[in-house]
Amino acid sequence: MLRPLPGAARLIKHLHNHRIPIALVSDSPKSNVMGKLNHQHGWTELFKAVLGGDEVQKGKPDPEIYSTIAEKLGAEPDGCLVIEDSPTGIAAGKAAGMKVVAVPSLRRKASKNQYDSADLVLSSLLDFKPEVWGLPAFQDWICNTLPIEPWYVGGPVIKGFGRGSKILGIPTANLPTTAFSSVLSDCVCGIYLGWAALSDRGEVYKMVMSVGWNPYFDNTEKTVEPWLLHEFPEDFYGEELRLVVVGYIRPEANFPSLEALIERIHEDGRIASSALDINPYAKYQNHPYLLTPLCQKDEI
Ligand code: ADP
Ligand code: RBF
Ligand code: MG
C-alpha cells in the first residue's frame, strides 16, 4: 500500500475544514487513482473532484488536465494553486495559468533547476505555509516546532565524517543508516527535535538533529545526526543510541558562511530545548523504547 507523503493528510484535512475546494489530478488512469485514494481512510470525500489521465486528450506537460479540473471546480485558473512533484506537472500547471508550488520527491537528492519554473520550491509539505497563498494558516505549530507522528530509530553510534566537533564545535552522534533505510527514505530531510538515550546508562537527554544531505557540505549520503543537548566528558562510539523523534523544526538549508550555519544550529538547540519541556513532546521522555535493552526491543 502507498503511504501518503509526510504532511499530506494534515494539509488536505486543513483545507477541507476551511471549506477550500481541493481536487486531485494525475496522469494515471482514473480507476488507479480511485483505487489508491480508497486505501486512505476517509480521503475520497475530501476531494471535490478527481481527474485521471485517461479523461483528457493530452497529458502533462499540456495544460489540458489542469484547465479541465478548474472548470470542474468552477474556478478561474489564476485562483487555483497547484502542488506538484514532477517537472512536467509544474509545466502543465504554469501553462494553465496557475500558481505552482513544487515539492520534489523524497527519494532523490533534488537537482533544483528542474523546478525553476515553479513559483516556490519546498523540501516537503511540512513547510507549506497556506497564508502565503491567501489561505488560512495552520494552527498546529507550537514554540516554533511542528508535532509529528513520532518515529523511533536506534543503533550503535558510528564514526561520521569527523566534522561535527572539529569544524562546527557541535558533535553529532551518527547512526548507521543501513539499519533503518526504509524509515530514512520515507522521512523528510530537515531538522527535528526529540529524546535520546544511551541504553546502558539509564538516562534520557534532549536532542536536536539533522536528517539529510547537509547542503552546506553537499554530502553524497543521507545521514541522521543527533546532537545530544548534554555535556559528555568522553566519546561514546559503539554505544546503543535510541531516539524518539517527536517534532519538526525546519528544512535543511545552505548558509553563506560556517558561522551562520553554527549560529543556526545553536538556535535549533534552543528551540528544541524549550519545546521539549511541554506537551505533546514532554511525555515521550518516558517512552519505553528509549531505555529497553536490545534483546527486548522486538517486544515493544
Ligand atoms: P563523527 O563525525 O565521528 O560523528 P563528531 O565530531 O560529530 O564525529 O562527534 C561525534 C561523537 O562525539 C559522537 O559519536 C559521540 O561519541 C561524541 N559526543 C560527545 N558529546 C556529544 C553530544 N553532546 N552529542 C553527540 N555526540 C557527542
Ligand atoms: N547542515 C547543513 O548543511 N544545513 C543545515 O541546515 C544543517 N542543520 C543542522 C541542524 C542541526 C540541529 C544539526 C545538529 C546539524 C545540522 N547540520 C546542517 C549538519 C551539520 O552539517 C553536520 O552536523 C555536519 O555535517 C557534521 O557531520
Ligand atoms: Mg557526527
Side-chain angles (χ1 to χ4, degrees):
M1 189 179 107
L2 280 181
R3 259 179 296 168
L5 284 178
R10 166 180 177 254
L11 175 61
I12 62 173
K13 283 177 191 152
H14 173 75
L15 295 174
H16 186 260
N17 288 342
H18 286 88
R19 304 183 192 287
I20 313 292
I22 45 176
L24 188 60
V25 162
S26 172
D27 268 341
S28 313
K30 170 113 174 218
S31 56
N32 290 12
V33 180
M34 293 312 294
K36 284 176 187 157
L37 205 49
N38 288 331
H39 273 106
Q40 308 298 333
H41 185 72
W43 278 36
T44 314
E45 308 84 77
L46 301 178
F47 292 95
K48 194 168 165 193
V50 177
L51 192 63
D54 54 343
E55 297 178 289
V56 290
Q57 304 279 318
K58 296 184 195 144
K60 300 172 184 178
D62 190 280
E64 183 185 353
I65 198 157
Y66 280 115
S67 309
T68 309
I69 201 77
E71 264 170 46
K72 283 196 183 220
L73 290 175
E76 292 301 323
D78 64 0
C80 295
L81 178 67
V82 169
I83 300 181
E84 260 292 349
D85 67 344
S86 74
T88 53
I90 295 166
K94 287 314 297 176
M98 299 177 177
K99 293 270 188 299
V100 179
V101 174
V103 184
S105 147
L106 283 178
R107 288 167 197 277
R108 280 172 270 129
K109 187 171 173 174
S111 61
K112 285 254 161 57
N113 52 4
Q114 282 183 295
Y115 301 96
D116 278 353
S117 58
D119 294 281
L120 182 68
V121 183
L122 297 178
S123 59
S124 79
L125 289 175
L126 301 181
D127 296 319
F128 182 70
K129 302 264 186 296
E131 64 275 25
V132 170
W133 309 98
L135 296 165
F138 283 114
Q139 302 295 332
D140 50 359
W141 285 77
I142 303 166
C143 300
N144 299 309
T145 63
L146 177 65
I148 57 169
E149 195 51 44
W151 35 284
Y152 303 85
V153 290
V157 175
I158 57 162
K159 284 264 178 197
F161 302 95
R163 278 198 307 237
S165 327
K166 278 201 198 83
I167 301 184
L168 303 168
I170 299 167
T172 53
N174 296 49
L175 285 173
T177 49
T178 45
F180 46 89
S181 53
S182 75
V183 186
L184 196 59
S185 62
D186 282 353
C187 80
V188 165
C189 292
I191 314 308
Y192 293 85
L193 65 154
W195 297 100
L198 292 159
S199 58
D200 292 342
R201 303 190 187 206
E203 254 187 82
V204 175
Y205 313 100
K206 291 174 175 175
M207 69 88 184
V208 63
M209 69 177 194
S210 81
V211 175
W213 282 280
N214 298 329
Y216 186 83
F217 298 102
D218 198 22
N219 289 353
T220 49
E221 200 197 0
K222 189 172 179 179
T223 58
V224 174
E225 303 205 18
W227 175 30
L228 279 51
L229 301 174
H230 178 83
E231 288 284 330
F232 292 88
E234 282 158 11
D235 287 347
F236 42 83
Y237 289 110
E239 284 191 43
E240 173 77 10
L241 175 66
R242 301 283 172 79
L243 305 176
V244 177
V245 185
V246 296
Y248 173 80
I249 300 179
R250 65 173 175 92
E252 285 191 294
N254 206 339
F255 291 85
S257 67
L258 197 59
E259 292 67 40
L261 170 62
I262 293 169
E263 178 43 38
R264 181 64 237 213
I265 299 175
H266 282 282
E267 171 73 11
D268 296 328
R270 290 189 290 272
I271 290 172
S273 184
S274 53
L276 287 163
D277 285 333
I278 56 168
N279 273 325
Y281 304 129
K283 64 182 183 209
Y284 289 100
Q285 182 172 9
N286 302 316
H287 195 282
Y289 176 77
L290 289 166
L291 294 171
T292 308
L294 257 190
C295 55
Q296 290 174 28
K297 210 170 78 172
D298 294 342
E299 293 161 25
I300 295 173

